[in-house]
Amino acid sequence: MHDLRDIADWLKQHPVHPDRQLHSTLPDPVFIANGEPVVSFSSNNYLALASHPRVAAAARDGLERHGVGNCESRLQGGDLEIYRELEARLAALQHKGDAVLFASGYMANLGVLSSIVKAATLARLHGYRARKRHKYAYYSDECNHVSIREGIQLSGALRYNYRHGDMDHLASLLKAGAEEGATPVIVSDGVFGMEGTIAPLPALVELAERHGALLYLDDAHATGVLGAHGGGTAEHFGCRSPCLMQMGTLGKALGASGGFVAVEREMADVIRLTSAAYGYSCPPPPGQAAALLAALDVLEQEPQRRQRLWDNQRYFIERMAPLGYTFVSTQTPILPVLVGEAEACQRYAIALRKEGIQVEAVQFPAAPVGQARLRFVMNAGHTGAQIDQVVRVMAQLAGRASRLA
């Protein structure tokens, strides 16, 4: 406990997030802080569904019908028809046979990645006896989300990191790993949250099929955003494969809470049997499931929301172009502007906040040392005037760059 006290004492003198303020409302994309309106360019509520009238009404109806929370594992009497309905809808969105619902996207990654490589051992608790013992090895993009890294670590399996988006490096690691006799599991974000880049899914699928690997795709930032119908990275590229496991979160573009993994039906049965995060944890409250069913309806019936998101993305890029800033990527609604040094990036974020604009300053360890960036996230609810305002402030800051840098 002494080291914890030391850290607590140190934090009193060195606050890590000194500019954090309490908000009285959630970003939609405007929120209220200290009684003043602030425009958020950092919210993951991409389609502004969190306060959509139909979604909110469905949540209220679910609350009235089912109560506040489940309070029980689905394996121990806490299963509800509404969860199965939601899983079927999510599976259909991803063109898979089934989906497994978790309390959050983070829990989905921890629960699935920690268990699928030792499913045979876990199934022994229920009487299963394996005909043959298998070894597994994970191959993970170096920029994958921390929940992926922690899930892999919990699994106890071998792990190899490949350079971000570098398929040649991944291919060389898979070739070397084949000599060790371990079944490979390739893991990648679909959209990388701090970079805004899209994984080269066709190449990943080709490598997975060539090497007999599973391919686990974290589509947290792509679900509802990419693809003609919001199906995510696989729909964006037109990729379908039995080896592909598609994880998504329900707390970003779909505006509620929860996580899921969409897989072939047989794999879903294995996950439900062996994942402690599913079997020993409560699912999202049933009211959230009701809200999510409504959100999926809106996703299907109001494609103009996704169109506005992408229109805003293009407009911001066009307006920023003359200012001389460097985008890390312009592939998605996540548009990080490279600043460089962490302290300078923080000063930019503070200056923007003084003008009523919320933008995240992303620095190490979320970004490489010396590559701190302002992480602008576009929203379907942004107006042209709001985007013009943030561009005006960025133009002013560009003129004062020598003082901020």
Side-chain angles (χ1 to χ4, degrees), residues 7-154:
I7 295 170
D9 290 339
W10 178 83
L11 282 171
K12 293 177 183 177
Q13 304 300 322
H14 305 84
V16 176
H17 301 294
D19 59 332
R20 292 293 186 223
Q21 300 181 29
L22 292 177
H23 307 161
S24 55
T25 64
L26 290 173
D28 194 31
V30 177
F31 63 91
I32 304 299
N34 296 330
E36 298 292 331
V38 180
V39 182
S40 175
F41 281 86
S42 62
S43 172
N44 295 320
N45 181 24
Y46 293 106
L47 301 178
L49 290 183
S51 60
H52 190 288
R54 288 176 60 184
V55 177
R60 285 192 295 269
D61 291 344
L63 183 65
E64 290 294 329
R65 179 178 178 184
H66 298 288
V68 175
N70 192 309
C71 306
E72 198 168 8
S73 163
R74 290 177 66 187
L75 292 183
Q76 298 175 344
D79 210 357
L80 293 172
E81 293 176 355
I82 196 168
Y83 293 137
R84 295 289 180 160
E85 183 181 357
L86 176 58
E87 287 172 333
R89 291 286 299 277
L90 292 168
L93 180 67
Q94 304 292 344
H95 298 283
K96 286 293 183 179
D98 202 354
V100 183
L101 186 64
F102 289 85
S104 68
Y106 205 111
M107 289 297 289
N109 280 343
L110 290 183
V112 177
L113 294 173
S114 66
S115 63
I116 56 172
V117 298
K118 51 186 179 183
T121 300
L122 295 169
R124 285 176 61 89
L125 299 173
H126 303 275
Y128 169 78
R129 293 296 180 268
R131 294 191 297 269
K132 178 183 177 181
R133 295 192 66 179
H134 294 269
K135 293 193 304 181
Y136 291 86
Y138 278 111
Y139 296 81
S140 178
D141 189 293
E142 66 181 357
C143 289
N144 278 341
H145 191 266
V146 64
S147 60
I148 289 176
R149 299 197 296 271
E150 291 190 353
I152 291 173
Q153 185 176 12
L154 286 171

Side-chain angles (χ1 to χ4, degrees), residues 145 180 191 258 283 294 319 405:
H145 191 266
E180 299 178 8
V191 169
R319 295 281 281 111

